[in-house]
């Protein structure tokens, strides 16, 4: 078996509060490293996973066909179906006794996708998570309230190991029990919180219900991800809590949280850790590889994973690549504007919940709590935006604001929709990923 990950264990155990060697590499160094690691990964996958061997043999390609980074385009894509067909463990490239942990994505339909990690995989995941946290302003010694869900979801345990690796102190709270969260945050006084952006807003409500202004908590840094959020939502969260909010991105199939993280100094999009992942952006229809800066679907190839190498994995996340900034060797990603499977097609117009979020948050009478309900009462599809008014806004003013929202959606997105202004706190909250779309149209 080819052994990946050797370089990772060779990283000197430097001060966890300082950038590591690979983080600081130049673009040339990163690309040289990527080429070697890609060749190793392809060989490892081909030799040890029957599904890869069959896929590549059918396409007439093999590990030796990759001589340059551009040669990656010769290889076929993989997706959730590739993993589902290998359910539960057939995509693993190491013997089961070397798999130290599994996680699984819930998946709304069908079988979950199962992912696995060797000892070295867990170690590099923790290293990358620690890197993200430090980059987002967390320091060794900080008290970190981890409200990502523990369990099969990668958020809780993924972040947990990273917090420990950074030599910070973890409060393994998990999601839910908002009153308890509020109490522990007041009693323990963590400087940092990790959770989904919408859950942090739900916690703001719980603080207010407990008679505490969220601005008065000990929280100074929030590292938020696992669901799409906009810069307006960042602004809303930062104002509500008087803290700095940074993005963290990842997906189970590729590792979990920590594939990319955001610099607290710049807050200019998440930096993809390209020593471990080679990103591509493709046109989701033609599957053609697009250039840096062009919008399309994000595709990842893992470069160091032993248990579950993923090659050209289609994430369905829509975004673009941007040049590196704070870490020039590693490119950044723009905000995820949506997932190709979350796109609403309303009477021929494509729209994403993030567009509605962006527009709604410009209207001060309306809150960031909304749901999109789709129905087909007659021949035509209809969308109703159910949105809570802000507590300090009167019902009458909120109705006027609702009409403004409908007009803005028409102008900016091109769709007519109905608005239903709801009472504060009446729409459901989620302790993890929030569901925004409720599609009641007949299939
Ligand atoms: O959500 C891993 C994670 C946990 C990331 C905690 C960040 C923090 P999955 O459950 O496999 O893994 O879901 C992955 O969530 O393909 C995106 O659609 C979405 N997603 C994750 N992070 C972000 C983000 C975790 N920062 C899917 N912005 C991904 C937008 C995100 N979408």
């Amino acid at each position: 078996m080819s052994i990946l990950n050797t370089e990772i264990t060779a990283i000197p155990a430097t001060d966890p509060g300082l950038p590591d060697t690979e983080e600081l590499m130049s673009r040339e160094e990163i690309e040289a490293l990527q080429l070697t690691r890609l060749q190793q990964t392809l060989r490892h996958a081909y030799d040890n996973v029957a599904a890869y061997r069959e896929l590549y043999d059918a396409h007439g390609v093999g590990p030796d066909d990759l001589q340059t980074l551009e040669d990656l385009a010769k290889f076929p894509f993989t997706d959730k179906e590739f993993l589902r067909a290998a359910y539960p463990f057939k995509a693993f490239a190491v013997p089961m006794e070397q798999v130290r942990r599994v996680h699984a994505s819930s998946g709304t339909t069908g079988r979950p996708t199962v992912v696995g990690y060797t000892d070295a995989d867990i170690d590099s995941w923790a290293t990358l998570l620690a890197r993200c946290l430090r980059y987002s302003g967390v320091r060794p010694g900080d008290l970190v309230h981890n409200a990502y869900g523990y369990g099969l979801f990668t958020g809780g345990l993924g972040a947990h190991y990273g917090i420990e690796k950074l030599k910070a102190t973890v409060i393994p709270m998990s999601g839910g029990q908002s009153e308890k969260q509020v109490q522990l945050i007041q009693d323990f006084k963590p400087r940092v919180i990790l959770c989904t952006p919408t859950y942090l807003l739900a916690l703001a409500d719980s603080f207010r219900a407990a008679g505490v202004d969220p601005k008065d908590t000990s929280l100074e840094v929030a590292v938020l991800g696992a669901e799409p959020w906009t810069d307006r939502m960042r602004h809303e969260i930062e104002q509500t809590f008087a803290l700095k909010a940074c993005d963290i991105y990842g997906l189970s199939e590729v590792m979990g949280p920590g594939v990319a993280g955001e610099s607290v100094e710049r807050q200019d999009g998440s930096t993809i850790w390209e020593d471990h992942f080679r990103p591509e952006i493709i046109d989701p229809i033609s599957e053609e590889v697009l250039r840096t800066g062009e919008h399309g679907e994000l595709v990842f190839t893992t470069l160091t994973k032993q248990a579950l190498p993923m090659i050209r994995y289609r994430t369905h996340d829509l975004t673009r690549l941007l040049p590196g900034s704070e870490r020039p060797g590693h490119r950044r990603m723009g905000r995820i504007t949506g997932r190709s499977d979350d796109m609403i097609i309303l009477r021929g117009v494509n729209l994403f919940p993030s567009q509605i979020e962006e527009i709604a948050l410009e209207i001060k009478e309306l809150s960031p709590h909304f749901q999109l309900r789709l129905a087909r009462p007659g021949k035509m599809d209809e969308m109703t935006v159910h949105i809570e008014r802000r507590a300090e806004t009167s019902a009458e003013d909120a109705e006027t604001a609702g009409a403004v929202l409908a007009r803005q959606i028409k102008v900016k997105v091109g769709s007519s929709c109905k608005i239903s202004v709801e009472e504060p706190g009446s729409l459901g909250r989620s302790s993890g990923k929030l569901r925004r779309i409720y599609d009641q149209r007949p299939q």
Side-chain angles (χ1 to χ4, degrees):
M1 189 193 78
S2 47
I3 285 292
L4 297 166
N5 239 323
T6 43
E7 293 87 348
I8 297 156
T9 42
I11 289 176
T14 47
D15 181 338
L18 296 175
D20 61 65
T21 322
E22 290 183 3
E23 186 178 339
L24 297 176
M25 280 180 171
S26 67
R27 188 69 202 157
E28 291 67 36
E29 288 171 314
I30 287 287
E31 289 193 347
L33 187 66
Q34 285 187 333
L35 184 58
T36 313
R37 289 182 171 180
L38 258 179
Q39 287 167 331
Q40 289 174 348
T41 297
L42 282 167
R43 172 57 62 197
H44 178 56
Y46 188 85
D47 288 351
N48 298 296
V49 184
Y52 275 116
R53 207 157 44 244
E54 285 158 20
L55 183 67
Y56 293 168
D57 287 352
H59 275 77
V61 284
D64 295 336
D65 292 321
L66 188 121
Q67 298 303 323
T68 67
L69 289 175
E70 287 65 41
D71 288 339
L72 186 57
K74 295 178 187 167
F75 291 80
F77 295 103
T78 54
D79 56 14
K80 247 190 189 341
E81 281 316 309
F82 176 88
L83 286 176
R84 287 210 177 106
Y87 182 83
F89 304 141
K90 287 197 287 290
F92 291 176
V94 298
M96 209 50 204
E97 60 270 21
Q98 291 179 29
V99 175
R100 202 62 57 234
R101 195 197 300 169
V102 295
H103 281 282
S105 81
S106 49
T108 40
T109 51
R111 294 166 167 174
T113 44
V114 180
V115 299
Y117 307 79
T118 63
D119 285 319
D121 290 337
I122 290 176
D123 195 54
S124 49
W125 186 11
T127 302
L128 286 182
L129 214 310
R131 194 194 273 182
C132 287
L133 294 176
R134 173 173 37 70
Y135 198 51
S136 298
V138 188
R139 298 279 163 256
D142 275 344
L143 199 47
V144 184
H145 184 95
N146 184 16
Y148 285 120
Y150 281 66
L152 287 174
F153 175 54
T154 51
L157 279 167
H160 183 106
Y161 276 62
I163 299 162
E164 292 186 344
K165 189 78 165 188
L166 184 63
K167 302 282 177 213
T169 306
V170 59
I171 304 166
M173 179 63 211
S174 195
Q177 296 182 278
S178 300
E179 283 174 22
K180 181 86 169 261
Q181 306 248 7
V182 162
Q183 185 200 335
L184 289 191
I185 292 170
Q186 284 176 262
D187 295 348
F188 293 1
K189 304 202 178 354
R191 197 175 79 87
V192 182
I193 186 162
L194 313 184
C195 59
T196 60
T198 54
Y199 189 54
L200 191 50
L201 282 184
L203 282 180
D205 292 343
S206 303
F207 272 110
R208 290 190 199 102
V212 179
D213 182 340
K215 281 195 182 65
D216 296 336
T217 69
S218 54
L219 298 171
E220 291 174 24
V221 176
V223 185
L224 311 174
E227 63 185 7
W229 58 309
T230 59
D231 272 330
R232 285 205 182 271
M233 180 74 121
R234 186 208 306 269
H235 182 74
E236 168 83 21
I237 289 170
E238 292 190 335
Q239 296 300 307
T240 302
F241 279 93
L243 49 65
K244 280 273 196 185
C246 288
D247 185 52
I248 184 164
Y249 169 87
L251 63 165
S252 337
E253 295 84 350
V254 171
M255 181 176 80
V259 172
E262 194 172 37
S263 150
V264 68
E265 273 90 31
R266 300 202 189 216
Q267 295 187 304
D268 60 352
S270 278
T271 297
I272 300 170
W273 302 120
E274 289 207 57
D275 45 338
H276 292 265
F277 312 100
R278 168 84 183 171
E280 297 171 273
I281 294 283
I282 62 162
D283 179 316
I285 312 287
S286 71
E287 300 189 335
E288 181 199 342
V289 178
L290 303 178
R291 284 191 301 268
T292 297
E294 292 184 305
H295 279 277
E297 177 181 339
L298 191 52
V299 170
F300 277 111
T301 299
T302 64
L303 301 175
T304 54
K305 271 174 69 197
Q306 294 179 332
L308 185 66
M310 286 311 310
I311 299 162
R312 302 201 88 200
Y313 183 77
R314 291 188 61 162
T315 63
H316 291 293
D317 289 328
L318 302 173
T319 183
R320 61 192 176 130
L321 293 176
L322 298 165
S325 60
E326 186 78 7
R327 296 287 179 265
H330 306 257
R331 282 172 291 178
R332 289 166 298 139
M333 54 194 269
R335 286 263 182 211
I336 306 278
T337 49
R339 291 179 52 80
S340 47
D341 35 18
D342 248 12
M343 187 174 78
I344 298 169
I345 305 178
L346 187 68
R347 299 188 300 273
V349 176
N350 301 346
L351 73 95
F352 291 100
S354 60
Q355 292 171 286
I356 307 293
E357 180 179 302
E358 192 87 33
I359 298 170
L361 280 175
E362 276 177 42
I363 304 174
K364 66 176 193 325
E365 291 83 4
L366 300 177
S367 81
H369 303 288
F370 69 90
Q371 289 174 1
L372 306 178
R373 292 195 177 263
L374 296 157
R376 191 178 298 146
K379 286 205 177 72
M380 302 281 265
D381 289 351
E382 276 185 15
M383 181 174 83
T384 307
V385 181
H386 294 260
I387 185 160
E388 291 178 15
R389 65 177 164 88
R390 294 208 188 248
E392 61 276 16
T393 303
S394 71
E396 202 185 348
D397 288 350
E399 282 306 322
T400 314
V404 174
L405 177 60
R407 237 179 357 259
Q408 288 294 318
I409 294 174
K410 176 76 188 157
V411 170
K412 294 188 175 155
V413 183
S415 285
S416 304
C417 62
K418 293 186 171 165
I419 309 292
S420 173
V421 177
E422 311 289 347
E423 288 301 293
S426 60
L427 296 177
R429 303 285 191 265
S430 160
S431 62
K433 292 176 195 279
L434 180 71
R435 179 169 166 208
R436 294 245 190 235
I437 302 174
Y438 292 81
D439 193 346
Q440 294 146 343
R441 291 176 293 188
Q443 286 313 302

